[in-house]
Amino acid sequence: MNNINAIILAAGKGTRMNSTKPKVLQVLSDKTLLEHVLMQAQALCSQVFVVVGLGSEQVCQALDDDSINWVEQSEQLGTGHAVQQATPYINDDSISLVLYGDVPLIRQSTLKDLITQAQKSGVALLSVMLDNPAGYGRIIRKDNQIQAIVEQKDANTEQLMICEVNTGIMVLDSGLLKAYLGNLNANNAQGEFYLTDIIAMAVKDGKTIASVIAENDSEVAGVNDKVQLAELERVFQKNQANQFMQQGLTLKDPARFDCRGTLNFGQNCEVDVNVVVEGDVSLGDNTTIAPNCIIKNAKIGTNVVILPNSVIEDAIIGDGASIGPFARIRPEAHIGESAKIGNFVEVKKSTIGKGSKISHLSYVGDTIMGEGVNIGAGVITCNYDGVNKHQTTIEDGVFVGSDTQFIAPVTIGKNATIGAGSTIAKDVPGGKLSLSRTKQAVLKNWKKPIKK
């Protein structure tokens, strides 16, 4: 929308967080609280102003967004004073949306409704109905028209019974906002300049205060401590899970699923309990993920089976592949079509060819592996010499016996066989059997050491 300014108040320290990070930099899902609010503001507004105070340098560095206009509130004198720091940079012939950097679940659709109402009346505020309104400013209405907002500490007994409360989120004609801010005073229990006092001023001027009532309290809930942060995390995850299930994803227990990023999926995908998705993840059709897996920045094909307790990060998994259980697929791994990565296998920066199998207890790093390769239990590519990494090449059809070490750089030719227990430090020709073992012997004079 054009000619709309967002003013996001983010100057609070958040003492109750007991953290060295400012409150707005606490993380919910994969974003800071402030980033969640910014995402909605930037989608709706032509300009975004963020008012910062304590810890401002840390906040600015963390976001590092050139589209943000940073405004400093050097003294903490209330919400009205905070908004006033941004108004010198805003044109009178615009409208201003006031948001809070610690209210992460505010919905774009709600803000659109609020902006529409303000464009008609000049002033619109967002309220919510609470069963327990303690601590919040009460909305005072007469003949259903908003007359004022009374803060908890300034409310009388009758006003304290009101369940409709102010969320602090409002939209105003910018010219009106500037005029009213200039008339604020600190004659209240807190000794602060309340932004909410401008509502009574607007009513006195004969303005009709439009309003939107939020659908649920979590949408407008602020975060003041780690308990509230955890509560909103669960709400956020529940909302995501419901959306995914409506789009066709099967979640065995949506309460035990976390998506901390972006998840795209095909048809007939199934995710079991305690799965964590991070970053950008995509699943092809008919892919299943078993319990206790972590999937981060991965492209996973169709008909893939990921077995329990597996970790996949920055990797590509081909169609029909099987991963796990207890497998770790590290960055820059590309697991080919119908390949098998079995239990307690780690793959890093390697390409595993179509139909190849690494079934048990192996480490494969910096390796190019062809198609139809069979790797026995306990095989290791020794890719690091203490200074540099080196590559192992295993061509199509190779069979590697258990407990083999490849001392990279080394190339194993097509259809070669490596005998179990070998240490391979030289290239192996294709189609041949290679092994390195000493002749088995029994040492007659050897004695078992005795513990001293």
Side-chain angles (χ1 to χ4, degrees):
M1 295 183 181
N2 295 323
N3 215 24
I4 300 174
N5 310 285
I7 304 172
I8 303 175
L9 307 188
K13 183 180 180 181
T15 305
R16 282 183 281 170
M17 283 290 177
N18 291 309
S19 171
T20 57
K21 291 192 297 185
K23 178 167 64 170
V24 295
L25 293 186
Q26 302 297 319
V27 174
L28 185 147
S29 184
D30 62 329
K31 298 179 180 66
T32 64
L33 299 179
L34 182 54
E35 284 176 309
H36 282 280
V37 182
L38 273 169
M39 187 170 60
Q40 306 302 347
Q42 289 172 332
L44 296 172
C45 302
S46 51
Q47 285 194 104
V48 176
F49 297 86
V50 178
V51 182
V52 290
L54 297 168
S56 59
E57 185 177 336
Q58 199 174 349
V59 176
C60 296
Q61 287 179 350
L63 271 73
D64 191 25
D65 186 336
D66 292 337
S67 69
I68 298 172
N69 299 290
W70 299 102
V71 182
E72 181 117 19
Q73 184 189 20
S74 55
E75 294 182 272
Q76 310 297 295
L77 300 178
T79 53
H81 178 259
V83 172
Q84 203 169 30
Q85 308 312 299
T87 53
Y89 310 102
I90 292 173
N91 294 329
D92 289 3
D93 60 345
S94 64
I95 64 173
S96 294
L97 165 64
V98 179
L99 295 167
Y100 295 82
D102 63 350
V103 181
L105 301 190
I106 185 66
R107 294 188 305 160
Q108 195 174 127
S109 58
T110 300
L111 296 179
K112 280 184 178 179
D113 290 345
L114 197 63
I115 289 168
T116 300
Q117 293 296 326
Q119 287 169 330
K120 297 174 183 177
S121 68
V123 183
L125 62 83
L126 181 64
S127 65
V128 66
M129 305 298 294
L130 296 180
D131 293 334
N132 179 13
Y136 293 90
R138 308 303 202 274
I139 303 293
I140 308 301
R141 291 181 183 264
K142 183 179 180 180
D143 299 327
N144 204 36
Q145 294 298 311
I146 294 174
Q147 302 298 305
I149 301 170
V150 178
E151 297 299 326
Q152 169 88 17
K153 291 185 179 181
D154 302 307
N156 61 36
T157 303
E158 184 180 354
Q159 291 167 339
L160 290 173
M161 300 296 291
I162 295 171
C163 290
E164 184 181 9
V165 304
N166 175 44
T167 67
I169 296 172
M170 58 179 69
V171 184
L172 302 96
D173 174 272
S174 298
L176 282 177
L177 175 62
K178 291 181 181 183
Y180 292 146
L181 286 173
N183 292 324
L184 289 178
N185 62 65
N187 297 329
N188 52 61
Q190 291 287 88
E192 295 182 348
F193 295 93
Y194 290 154
L195 179 64
T196 50
D197 286 348
I198 68 177
I199 299 301
M201 295 179 191
V203 171
K204 188 176 180 180
D205 284 349
K207 302 289 184 185
T208 299
I209 311 301
S211 68
V212 173
I213 300 176
E215 290 186 6
N216 57 72
D217 56 358
S218 62
E219 179 183 3
V220 295
V223 176
N224 293 305
D225 56 33
K226 295 292 178 67
V227 173
Q228 292 174 337
L229 180 64
E231 288 170 350
L232 285 195
E233 178 75 38
R234 295 321 326 145
V235 172
F236 181 87
Q237 294 298 342
K238 180 182 177 181
N239 291 343
Q240 276 196 131
N242 288 342
Q243 182 181 348
F244 291 151
M245 290 187 292
Q246 288 166 357
Q247 294 169 349
L249 180 65
T250 297
L251 295 174
K252 290 294 188 179
D253 184 352
R256 289 186 285 169
F257 165 79
D258 278 37
C259 178
R260 302 168 188 166
T262 303
L263 175 63
N264 294 294
F265 47 86
Q267 293 184 320
N268 303 317
C269 291
E270 184 176 294
V271 178
D272 215 320
V273 302
N274 299 330
V275 170
V276 177
V277 171
E278 298 181 349
D280 188 7
V281 173
S282 64
L283 310 177
D285 295 343
N286 304 307
T287 285
T288 62
I289 304 177
N292 308 318
C293 293
I294 299 173
I295 317 294
K296 181 176 182 180
N297 295 323
K299 183 178 180 181
I300 297 171
T302 63
N303 300 303
V304 173
V305 176
I306 301 173
L307 296 167
N309 302 293
S310 295
V311 178
I312 300 173
E313 179 180 0
D314 293 301
I316 297 173
I317 311 298
D319 296 346
S322 173
I323 308 295
F326 294 97
R328 185 182 180 197
I329 312 300
R330 290 173 58 190
E332 297 183 60
H334 188 164
I335 309 303
E337 181 181 342
S338 301
K340 179 183 179 182
I341 308 298
N343 51 288
F344 301 103
V345 172
E346 180 179 346
V347 179
K348 185 225 69 164
K349 201 176 181 179
S350 298
T351 299
I352 308 302
K354 179 180 179 180
S356 290
K357 298 178 180 179
I358 313 171
S359 297
H360 322 279
L361 302 159
S362 295
Y363 169 72
V364 175
D366 296 279
T367 296
I368 297 175
M369 185 180 297
E371 298 182 2
V373 173
N374 188 92
I375 302 292
V379 171
I380 296 173
T381 57
C382 304
N383 55 330
Y384 184 50
D385 64 7
V387 179
N388 299 304
K389 298 290 180 71
H390 301 281
Q391 183 173 286
T392 297
T393 300
I394 302 174
E395 296 180 355
D396 296 348
V398 169
F399 180 92
V400 181
S402 298
D403 197 27
T404 291
Q405 300 90 46
F406 292 110
I407 313 300
V410 67
T411 297
I412 312 303
K414 187 175 182 180
N415 295 320
T417 297
I418 307 298
S422 295
T423 298
I424 304 299
K426 297 180 180 179
D427 292 350
V428 172
K432 302 294 184 181
L433 168 65
S434 294
L435 67 162
S436 63
R437 301 176 188 155
T438 60
K439 183 178 180 181
Q440 184 170 329
V442 176
L443 302 180
K444 295 180 180 179
N445 296 323
W446 178 83
K447 293 183 179 180
K448 185 177 180 179
I450 299 172
K451 186 176 182 180
K452 295 182 181 179

